[in-house]
Amino acid sequence: MTVKLTMQASRDAIKGFARLAASAMVALLAGHLETSAQAQPAPIAGVDAALLEDMVIGSRVLADFGVLDGFGHVSARHPTNPNRFLMSRSLAPALVTADDIMEFDLDGNAVDARGRSVFLERFIHAEIYRARPDAMGVVHTHSPGVIPFSVTKVPLRAMYHNPSFLAAGVPVWDIRTDFGETNMLVGNSAIGKSLAQALGDKPVVLMRGHGDVAVGPSVRMAVFRAYYTDVNAKLQSQAIALGGEVNYLTQAEGEKADKTNFAVIDRIWNLWKMRILPTLAK
């Protein structure tokens, strides 16, 4: 009799513990869901989902092509407020989602940070948007192909029709000229302004020992230019290595080809989008 009572008490204790554990799990799950819901960023006023998608695709496809790695960033001018721009929180480009995109003013201040970390070099984007009303997209890369052209006297020049925008000329900005020996990063507005001045009215500027910046009349064109700048740099290095004179595009050829590229940007963009879509489901 005593044994039966002991066994029954044990079973009751186990059932009670199971009920408590289940209740605790439900409470934890509910709390997690509530916290997750609270963590969801608020929509950015005046910005539609299509622009955010372009930023995500641009970030991920450039990472997929090796133009970006764990560093670099894609931004967009705010479509209804030219004194604001959009940029991901500090995150590797291949991991960017629409929910990671934040709004900034042209001083590089986050409009609604809510504790999220931001890129140190957001001043690249802020000062270029300030200086270039025509720029609607900006991409900063550490593209391996361009580095040799940023540290030598060999100018980067347009090799063929896709990177034809380079025929306008590609300035090289050296941070050491105005700021001495630094950590090579564009960490404040003064340095960003110096870079924007070096860019001038050109589509691309190289950054000595650092990378480059590409701008465009849309996010798609800025991404297109960032990609083909790297492709062109690699091909130009190969052409120079072959020896002899290289027959580059003229400025007039570049202008005509660039207009054509702009007109058919959706063709390449849709291909890139298809390439990236499987990663968005993860």
Side-chain angles (χ1 to χ4, degrees):
M1 183 66 173
T2 302
V3 173
K4 289 182 179 180
L5 289 174
T6 301
M7 291 177 65
Q8 182 64 42
S10 297
R11 285 195 291 269
D12 291 345
I14 291 171
K15 289 179 181 179
F17 178 77
R19 284 195 295 270
L20 287 172
S23 298
M25 183 61 71
V26 170
L28 285 171
L29 181 59
H32 172 72
L33 292 174
E34 182 180 354
T35 301
S36 298
Q38 291 173 350
Q40 289 298 315
I44 302 174
V47 178
D48 61 27
L51 178 58
L52 301 182
E53 180 185 73
D54 281 355
M55 294 177 66
V56 171
I57 291 171
S59 297
R60 293 192 175 211
V61 79
L62 289 177
D64 193 48
F65 284 135
V67 178
L68 300 177
D69 49 19
F71 305 98
H73 13 81
V74 175
S75 72
R77 190 188 293 274
H78 195 294
T80 61
N81 186 345
N83 294 317
R84 299 281 176 86
F85 68 98
L86 311 173
M87 189 177 184
S88 168
R89 65 185 176 93
S90 183
L91 192 67
L95 304 178
V96 170
T97 70
D99 289 340
D100 296 309
I101 295 171
M102 303 168 60
E103 183 179 359
F104 295 84
D105 64 26
L106 296 188
D107 290 321
N109 299 312
V111 174
D112 182 21
R114 287 184 290 107
R116 291 173 290 180
S117 58
V118 297
F119 286 111
L120 173 66
E121 291 193 301
R122 62 195 182 278
F123 303 101
I124 292 174
H125 305 258
E127 292 302 326
I128 288 176
Y129 286 124
R130 192 195 304 275
R132 289 281 298 271
D134 62 306
M136 298 302 291
V138 175
V139 178
H140 168 49
T141 88
H142 300 153
S143 161
V146 308
I147 299 299
F149 293 92
S150 79
V151 297
T152 66
K153 298 297 183 181
V154 180
L156 186 62
R157 299 180 62 182
M159 293 286 294
Y160 68 115
H161 62 288
N162 281 351
S164 55
F165 51 88
L166 298 175
V170 185
V172 179
W173 174 75
D174 188 345
I175 191 173
R176 193 165 59 208
T177 300
D178 291 334
F179 303 98
E181 295 178 329
T182 67
N183 62 2
M184 304 296 289
L185 302 179
V186 183
N188 60 52
S189 293
I191 302 176
K193 182 177 181 180
S194 173
L195 174 60
Q197 288 173 340
L199 171 66
D201 62 352
K202 301 296 190 289
V204 175
V205 60
L206 304 188
M207 305 165 70
R208 194 265 302 173
H210 187 149
D212 67 355
V213 178
V215 305
S218 68
V219 171
R220 295 183 179 189
M221 279 304 294
V223 171
F224 178 92
R225 289 173 173 174
Y227 171 64
Y228 279 107
T229 295
D230 184 62
V231 172
N232 189 98
K234 292 173 180 175
L235 292 177
Q236 187 176 344
S237 293
Q238 293 175 20
I240 292 171
L242 290 173
E245 184 178 354
V246 181
N247 191 359
Y248 299 104
L249 269 64
T250 66
Q251 184 172 349
E253 288 173 328
E255 290 174 356
K256 292 176 181 179
D258 194 42
K259 289 178 181 178
T260 301
N261 290 335
F262 182 76
V264 297
I265 185 65
D266 286 352
R267 184 187 304 175
I268 189 71
W269 192 263
N270 289 334
L271 178 65
W272 288 348
K273 181 176 178 178
M274 184 177 68
R275 181 186 183 110
I276 294 304
L277 280 177
T279 73
L280 299 179
K282 294 180 180 179

